[in-house]
Amino acid sequence: MGARKRSASPACAVFLVGFMGAGKTSVGRTLGQRLNWIFEDLDDRIQEREGRTIAEIFRDSGELEFRRAEHGALRQLIEDLRGRGKVVALGGGAFVQSSNSALLKASGAKTVFLDAPVEELWNRCCQQAGESGTERPLLQSREQFDALHRARRKVYLKASERIDTGGRSIEAVADDVIQRLGLKKLRVSQATRRN
Ligand code: S3P
């Protein structure tokens, strides 16, 4: 008998997809707390595996090499999925690579597209660059940002769910994800006991 392919239970992993500035990391962290699931940002795993920052990978090795590293990190992350629930924030370009969306599909995990008007995404990215110095190699001109967003949005729409985040709080969006996917939110008393 051949080896059985292990796939994550659909209820056990949620991948947040969407453009730069969509709030994947902030929503993911809150979602993880609300569900008592582990939260992971794929970009952090890439940096750890490579021993350099995303900006350094882009600058020294180029985008193609970054995409290779991203794919390797995603494959490893999916292989590592175990029984305990996990929320994952993907970088803005991860889901648009067909090799990555194929891996996600095969894993059985849910994908949620966090959508917002491009104007708001641009403003959030500029604000983050100014406030926390967040470096995004693909944050260049407004024209390039709009064109990339237009090209990618149709691919993001292939995610299992689409949630509007425009003008909404991180908490409201996280609760929406829970509701849409029919997940169980931790009760306050449970949350206090576990923290
Ligand atoms: C990228 C988005 C970034 C990061 C890398 C490439 C993209 O993540 O993965 O700079 O291609 O849109 P965020 O979406 O978290 O900014």
Side-chain angles (χ1 to χ4, degrees):
M1 200 167 69
R4 259 224 231 131
K5 206 171 152 205
R6 186 164 11 111
S7 71
S9 141
C12 271
V14 174
F15 288 80
L16 301 177
V17 313
F19 206 58
M20 293 173 269
K24 303 174 297 274
T25 302
S26 325
V27 170
R29 201 169 282 129
T30 300
L31 191 56
Q33 285 162 359
R34 292 240 199 294
L35 296 167
N36 193 31
W37 286 13
I38 297 163
F39 166 72
E40 183 171 340
D41 191 313
L42 183 66
D43 280 347
D44 290 343
R45 185 179 287 243
I46 299 169
Q47 298 188 127
E48 216 164 281
R49 279 165 54 103
E50 294 289 307
R52 50 194 177 144
T53 66
I54 302 293
E56 285 166 346
I57 304 172
F58 267 83
R59 193 193 57 217
D60 302 337
S61 312
E63 182 171 352
L64 200 63
E65 183 52 37
F66 170 76
R67 296 298 165 204
R68 268 195 217 109
E70 184 176 54
H71 181 72
L74 179 64
R75 180 179 289 280
Q76 183 193 52
L77 189 155
I78 291 173
E79 280 167 9
D80 285 351
L81 287 174
R82 301 265 146 66
R84 177 141 182 231
K86 192 170 222 181
V87 180
V88 182
L90 294 181
F95 191 68
V96 297
Q97 308 294 317
S98 54
S99 55
N100 293 338
S101 52
L103 276 183
L104 289 162
K105 198 167 179 202
S107 80
K110 290 282 183 202
T111 48
V112 179
F113 167 31
L114 301 184
D115 200 7
V118 69
E119 178 82 27
E120 194 168 325
L121 296 169
W122 172 257
N123 290 338
R124 287 185 202 158
C125 287
C126 292
Q127 198 183 350
Q128 287 163 9
E131 280 173 5
S132 51
T134 307
E135 275 192 275
R136 287 187 164 104
L138 293 181
L139 183 67
Q140 294 157 16
S141 70
R142 178 65 204 265
E143 292 69 34
Q144 176 269 357
F145 192 84
D146 283 10
L148 192 58
H149 177 261
R150 215 174 306 120
R152 285 179 174 179
R153 192 169 177 276
K154 33 187 178 290
V155 186
Y156 296 145
L157 286 167
K158 293 181 182 161
S160 335
E161 298 286 336
R162 183 193 76 88
I163 292 184
D164 262 316
T165 70
R168 300 175 68 201
S169 71
I170 290 163
E171 291 74 20
V173 175
D175 284 342
D176 210 352
V177 175
I178 291 173
Q179 206 194 2
R180 290 282 196 93
L181 297 181
L183 298 169
K184 264 216 189 106
K185 191 170 159 176
L186 218 60
R187 288 199 308 271
V188 177
S189 57
Q190 279 175 300
T192 323
R193 227 179 300 135
R194 285 176 204 210
N195 288 333

